[in-house]
Amino acid sequence: MPTDTHRQDVIFSLRCARSRGRERSSHFEGSRGFMKKQLALALALAMASSAAAAADGLSYTHVEAGYSVQKIELVTVDEDLDIEDPKAAGGYIAGSVALNDAMHLFGGYRQGSDDIEVSYAGSYLGEVDIDSTQYQIGLGYHHTLSDRVDWTGELSYLRTEIDVEDEEAVEGDDYRASLGLRGDLAANFEGWIKANYTDGDVYDGEFSGTIGALVKFNETWGIVGEAEFGDKNSQFNLGVRASF
């Protein structure tokens, strides 16, 4: 695979060739062959520059915010009592800060609400309002596998609070371990996958999978989406990310 030094050599050679072509342009004014050669050199230079930019690596310093939905599958306590599974929709904010070439801190906050239907023995009883809040903070490790792909590992703490209308809030602390891959799939498209194991008060030894993608408008801004699928808990995010 080409190294960063090799890419820079290619870019330098292309720029020199383009410069020499411009110096000779006065001798070939109006030449179609000259114009085609200059166009080819310009395109090759643009592609080489893009490849060098991609080789700079993935950014682990960013902030994002947007829309979030958290779905929780409730435990059945009475076969006659039918309670709709909450889908707390709202907003979220998350971020990450690179500590060095291999470690990063990350965290997030999400909040949402839902009106869930309750019925007993087939008779509709009404709706109950719930509010869900979750915090997460953790430490991540990343190791470069290639110019475009990193292996990632994470350990994090989660705090979940669910407020039920006219009832005492349900609170819980959980811990999570994650392993995954993150990479540039194209010049402006990044993706990642993770396998998670979460255990504690809310997540009872639950395995889940995370898949996400980032569409980049430029080096800073992009649209980010992520989905986590578990046995009893699922989350979906769609937002805007700024990378630094």
Short mmCIF file of all heavy atoms in Angstrom, two decimals, residues 179-215:
data_model
loop_
_atom_site.label_atom_id
_atom_site.label_comp_id
_atom_site.label_asym_id
_atom_site.label_seq_id
_atom_site.Cartn_x
_atom_site.Cartn_y
_atom_site.Cartn_z
N LEU A 179 -16.26 -3.50 21.02
CA LEU A 179 -15.17 -3.74 20.06
C LEU A 179 -15.72 -3.50 18.67
O LEU A 179 -16.87 -3.88 18.37
CB LEU A 179 -14.64 -5.17 20.17
CG LEU A 179 -13.89 -5.56 21.44
CD1 LEU A 179 -13.56 -7.04 21.42
CD2 LEU A 179 -12.62 -4.73 21.60
N GLY A 180 -14.91 -2.89 17.79
CA GLY A 180 -15.43 -2.63 16.46
C GLY A 180 -14.39 -2.21 15.45
O GLY A 180 -13.18 -2.22 15.72
N LEU A 181 -14.88 -1.83 14.28
CA LEU A 181 -14.05 -1.33 13.19
C LEU A 181 -14.63 -0.01 12.70
O LEU A 181 -15.86 0.17 12.65
CB LEU A 181 -14.02 -2.33 12.02
CG LEU A 181 -13.34 -3.67 12.27
CD1 LEU A 181 -13.58 -4.60 11.07
CD2 LEU A 181 -11.85 -3.50 12.50
N ARG A 182 -13.74 0.90 12.32
CA ARG A 182 -14.15 2.20 11.80
C ARG A 182 -13.26 2.54 10.61
O ARG A 182 -12.04 2.35 10.67
CB ARG A 182 -14.01 3.28 12.87
CG ARG A 182 -14.41 4.67 12.43
CD ARG A 182 -14.12 5.70 13.51
NE ARG A 182 -14.43 7.04 13.04
CZ ARG A 182 -13.96 8.14 13.61
NH1 ARG A 182 -13.17 8.07 14.67
NH2 ARG A 182 -14.28 9.33 13.12
N GLY A 183 -13.87 3.00 9.51
CA GLY A 183 -13.05 3.27 8.34
C GLY A 183 -13.67 4.21 7.33
O GLY A 183 -14.88 4.47 7.35
N ASP A 184 -12.82 4.74 6.46
CA ASP A 184 -13.25 5.56 5.33
C ASP A 184 -13.63 4.63 4.18
O ASP A 184 -12.77 3.97 3.60
CB ASP A 184 -12.13 6.50 4.88
CG ASP A 184 -12.01 7.72 5.77
OD1 ASP A 184 -13.05 8.22 6.21
OD2 ASP A 184 -10.87 8.15 6.04
N LEU A 185 -14.91 4.58 3.85
CA LEU A 185 -15.39 3.72 2.77
C LEU A 185 -15.28 4.42 1.42
O LEU A 185 -15.24 3.76 0.39
CB LEU A 185 -16.83 3.30 3.04
CG LEU A 185 -17.08 2.62 4.39
CD1 LEU A 185 -18.54 2.26 4.54
CD2 LEU A 185 -16.20 1.39 4.55
N ALA A 186 -15.23 5.75 1.45
CA ALA A 186 -15.07 6.57 0.24
C ALA A 186 -14.50 7.90 0.67
O ALA A 186 -14.31 8.15 1.86
CB ALA A 186 -16.39 6.73 -0.50
N ALA A 187 -14.23 8.78 -0.30
CA ALA A 187 -13.62 10.07 0.01
C ALA A 187 -14.47 10.89 0.97
O ALA A 187 -13.94 11.62 1.81
CB ALA A 187 -13.36 10.85 -1.27
N ASN A 188 -15.78 10.78 0.87
CA ASN A 188 -16.66 11.58 1.71
C ASN A 188 -17.63 10.72 2.52
O ASN A 188 -18.69 11.20 2.96
CB ASN A 188 -17.46 12.58 0.87
CG ASN A 188 -18.43 11.88 -0.07
OD1 ASN A 188 -18.22 10.72 -0.44
ND2 ASN A 188 -19.49 12.57 -0.45
N PHE A 189 -17.29 9.45 2.72
CA PHE A 189 -18.21 8.54 3.42
C PHE A 189 -17.42 7.67 4.39
O PHE A 189 -16.48 6.97 4.01
CB PHE A 189 -18.96 7.66 2.41
CG PHE A 189 -20.02 6.81 3.03
CD1 PHE A 189 -21.24 7.35 3.40
CD2 PHE A 189 -19.81 5.46 3.25
CE1 PHE A 189 -22.23 6.56 3.97
CE2 PHE A 189 -20.79 4.66 3.82
CZ PHE A 189 -22.01 5.22 4.17
N GLU A 190 -17.82 7.73 5.67
CA GLU A 190 -17.17 6.96 6.73
C GLU A 190 -18.20 6.05 7.40
O GLU A 190 -19.36 6.44 7.56
CB GLU A 190 -16.58 7.93 7.76
CG GLU A 190 -15.91 7.29 8.95
CD GLU A 190 -15.46 8.31 9.97
OE1 GLU A 190 -14.96 9.38 9.56
OE2 GLU A 190 -15.62 8.05 11.18
N GLY A 191 -17.78 4.87 7.80
CA GLY A 191 -18.70 3.94 8.45
C GLY A 191 -18.04 3.22 9.61
O GLY A 191 -16.81 3.15 9.70
N TRP A 192 -18.85 2.66 10.49
CA TRP A 192 -18.32 1.90 11.62
C TRP A 192 -19.34 0.86 12.10
O TRP A 192 -20.55 1.01 11.91
CB TRP A 192 -17.92 2.82 12.78
CG TRP A 192 -19.02 3.69 13.31
CD1 TRP A 192 -19.91 3.43 14.32
CD2 TRP A 192 -19.35 5.02 12.84
NE1 TRP A 192 -20.76 4.48 14.51
CE2 TRP A 192 -20.44 5.47 13.64
CE3 TRP A 192 -18.82 5.85 11.86
CZ2 TRP A 192 -21.00 6.72 13.45
CZ3 TRP A 192 -19.39 7.10 11.68
CH2 TRP A 192 -20.47 7.52 12.48
N ILE A 193 -18.80 -0.19 12.70
CA ILE A 193 -19.62 -1.23 13.32
C ILE A 193 -19.01 -1.58 14.66
O ILE A 193 -17.79 -1.52 14.83
CB ILE A 193 -19.73 -2.50 12.43
CG1 ILE A 193 -18.34 -3.04 12.09
CG2 ILE A 193 -20.54 -2.23 11.18
CD1 ILE A 193 -18.38 -4.39 11.39
N LYS A 194 -19.87 -1.94 15.63
CA LYS A 194 -19.39 -2.30 16.96
C LYS A 194 -20.24 -3.42 17.53
O LYS A 194 -21.44 -3.49 17.29
CB LYS A 194 -19.45 -1.09 17.91
CG LYS A 194 -18.49 0.02 17.58
CD LYS A 194 -18.46 1.09 18.68
CE LYS A 194 -19.76 1.83 18.79
NZ LYS A 194 -19.69 2.94 19.78
N ALA A 195 -19.60 -4.27 18.32
CA ALA A 195 -20.30 -5.28 19.12
C ALA A 195 -20.21 -4.82 20.57
O ALA A 195 -19.11 -4.51 21.06
CB ALA A 195 -19.68 -6.64 18.94
N ASN A 196 -21.36 -4.77 21.27
CA ASN A 196 -21.40 -4.24 22.63
C ASN A 196 -21.90 -5.29 23.62
O ASN A 196 -22.76 -6.11 23.29
CB ASN A 196 -22.35 -3.03 22.70
CG ASN A 196 -22.16 -2.06 21.56
OD1 ASN A 196 -21.09 -1.49 21.39
ND2 ASN A 196 -23.20 -1.86 20.76
N TYR A 197 -21.37 -5.22 24.83
CA TYR A 197 -21.92 -6.00 25.95
C TYR A 197 -22.14 -5.04 27.10
O TYR A 197 -21.22 -4.35 27.54
CB TYR A 197 -20.96 -7.10 26.38
CG TYR A 197 -21.46 -7.87 27.59
CD1 TYR A 197 -22.48 -8.81 27.45
CD2 TYR A 197 -20.94 -7.63 28.86
CE1 TYR A 197 -22.96 -9.50 28.55
CE2 TYR A 197 -21.41 -8.32 29.96
CZ TYR A 197 -22.42 -9.25 29.81
OH TYR A 197 -22.90 -9.93 30.91
N THR A 198 -23.40 -4.97 27.59
CA THR A 198 -23.77 -4.02 28.64
C THR A 198 -24.44 -4.77 29.79
O THR A 198 -25.32 -5.60 29.57
CB THR A 198 -24.74 -2.95 28.10
OG1 THR A 198 -24.24 -2.44 26.86
CG2 THR A 198 -24.89 -1.82 29.09
N ASP A 199 -24.02 -4.45 31.01
CA ASP A 199 -24.58 -5.14 32.18
C ASP A 199 -24.73 -4.16 33.33
O ASP A 199 -23.95 -3.21 33.46
CB ASP A 199 -23.68 -6.31 32.60
CG ASP A 199 -24.36 -7.24 33.58
OD1 ASP A 199 -25.61 -7.25 33.62
OD2 ASP A 199 -23.66 -7.94 34.34
N GLY A 200 -25.78 -4.38 34.13
CA GLY A 200 -26.03 -3.51 35.28
C GLY A 200 -27.47 -3.54 35.68
O GLY A 200 -28.10 -4.60 35.72
N ASP A 201 -28.03 -2.37 35.94
CA ASP A 201 -29.40 -2.27 36.45
C ASP A 201 -30.46 -2.29 35.34
O ASP A 201 -31.50 -2.92 35.47
CB ASP A 201 -29.56 -0.98 37.27
CG ASP A 201 -28.62 -0.96 38.47
OD1 ASP A 201 -28.37 -2.03 39.04
OD2 ASP A 201 -28.13 0.14 38.83
N VAL A 202 -30.20 -1.55 34.27
CA VAL A 202 -31.17 -1.45 33.18
C VAL A 202 -30.92 -2.51 32.11
O VAL A 202 -31.85 -3.16 31.61
CB VAL A 202 -31.13 -0.04 32.55
CG1 VAL A 202 -32.11 0.06 31.38
CG2 VAL A 202 -31.45 1.01 33.61
N TYR A 203 -29.67 -2.71 31.76
CA TYR A 203 -29.27 -3.71 30.77
C TYR A 203 -28.80 -4.96 31.53
O TYR A 203 -27.79 -4.93 32.23
CB TYR A 203 -28.15 -3.20 29.88
CG TYR A 203 -28.47 -1.97 29.09
CD1 TYR A 203 -28.43 -0.71 29.69
CD2 TYR A 203 -28.79 -2.04 27.74
CE1 TYR A 203 -28.71 0.44 28.96
CE2 TYR A 203 -29.07 -0.90 27.00
CZ TYR A 203 -29.03 0.33 27.63
OH TYR A 203 -29.30 1.47 26.90
N ASP A 204 -29.52 -6.05 31.39
CA ASP A 204 -29.21 -7.26 32.13
C ASP A 204 -28.36 -8.20 31.28
O ASP A 204 -28.86 -9.13 30.66
CB ASP A 204 -30.51 -7.95 32.56
CG ASP A 204 -30.26 -9.16 33.46
OD1 ASP A 204 -29.14 -9.28 33.97
OD2 ASP A 204 -31.19 -9.97 33.62
N GLY A 205 -27.05 -7.95 31.24
CA GLY A 205 -26.14 -8.79 30.46
C GLY A 205 -26.54 -8.83 29.00
O GLY A 205 -26.61 -9.90 28.40
N GLU A 206 -26.78 -7.68 28.39
CA GLU A 206 -27.33 -7.61 27.03
C GLU A 206 -26.25 -7.39 25.98
O GLU A 206 -25.39 -6.52 26.12
CB GLU A 206 -28.36 -6.49 26.94
CG GLU A 206 -29.00 -6.36 25.57
CD GLU A 206 -30.16 -5.37 25.56
OE1 GLU A 206 -30.82 -5.23 26.60
OE2 GLU A 206 -30.40 -4.76 24.51
N PHE A 207 -26.30 -8.19 24.93
CA PHE A 207 -25.45 -7.99 23.76
C PHE A 207 -26.21 -7.14 22.74
O PHE A 207 -27.42 -7.29 22.58
CB PHE A 207 -25.07 -9.33 23.12
CG PHE A 207 -24.10 -10.13 23.92
CD1 PHE A 207 -24.55 -11.11 24.80
CD2 PHE A 207 -22.73 -9.92 23.80
CE1 PHE A 207 -23.65 -11.86 25.55
CE2 PHE A 207 -21.82 -10.66 24.53
CZ PHE A 207 -22.28 -11.64 25.42
N SER A 208 -25.49 -6.26 22.07
CA SER A 208 -26.11 -5.43 21.04
C SER A 208 -25.09 -5.12 19.95
O SER A 208 -23.88 -5.29 20.13
CB SER A 208 -26.64 -4.12 21.65
OG SER A 208 -25.58 -3.34 22.18
N GLY A 209 -25.61 -4.68 18.82
CA GLY A 209 -24.76 -4.31 17.70
C GLY A 209 -25.02 -2.87 17.29
O GLY A 209 -26.16 -2.40 17.33
N THR A 210 -23.96 -2.15 16.92
CA THR A 210 -24.07 -0.76 16.51
C THR A 210 -23.53 -0.61 15.09
O THR A 210 -22.48 -1.17 14.76
CB THR A 210 -23.28 0.17 17.45
OG1 THR A 210 -23.80 0.06 18.77
CG2 THR A 210 -23.37 1.62 16.99
N ILE A 211 -24.26 0.12 14.26
CA ILE A 211 -23.81 0.44 12.91
C ILE A 211 -24.01 1.94 12.69
O ILE A 211 -25.04 2.49 13.10
CB ILE A 211 -24.54 -0.39 11.85
CG1 ILE A 211 -23.99 -0.09 10.45
CG2 ILE A 211 -26.04 -0.18 11.91
CD1 ILE A 211 -24.50 -1.04 9.39
N GLY A 212 -23.03 2.60 12.11
CA GLY A 212 -23.14 4.03 11.91
C GLY A 212 -22.46 4.49 10.64
O GLY A 212 -21.65 3.77 10.04
N ALA A 213 -22.79 5.71 10.21
CA ALA A 213 -22.21 6.26 8.98
C ALA A 213 -22.14 7.77 9.10
O ALA A 213 -22.95 8.40 9.78
CB ALA A 213 -23.03 5.86 7.77
N LEU A 214 -21.14 8.34 8.40
CA LEU A 214 -20.95 9.79 8.35
C LEU A 214 -20.76 10.19 6.90
O LEU A 214 -19.84 9.72 6.23
CB LEU A 214 -19.73 10.20 9.17
CG LEU A 214 -19.27 11.66 9.06
CD1 LEU A 214 -20.33 12.60 9.65
CD2 LEU A 214 -17.94 11.86 9.78
N VAL A 215 -21.63 11.07 6.40
CA VAL A 215 -21.49 11.64 5.06
C VAL A 215 -20.85 13.02 5.22
O VAL A 215 -21.43 13.91 5.84
CB VAL A 215 -22.85 11.75 4.35
CG1 VAL A 215 -22.68 12.36 2.96
CG2 VAL A 215 -23.50 10.37 4.24
#
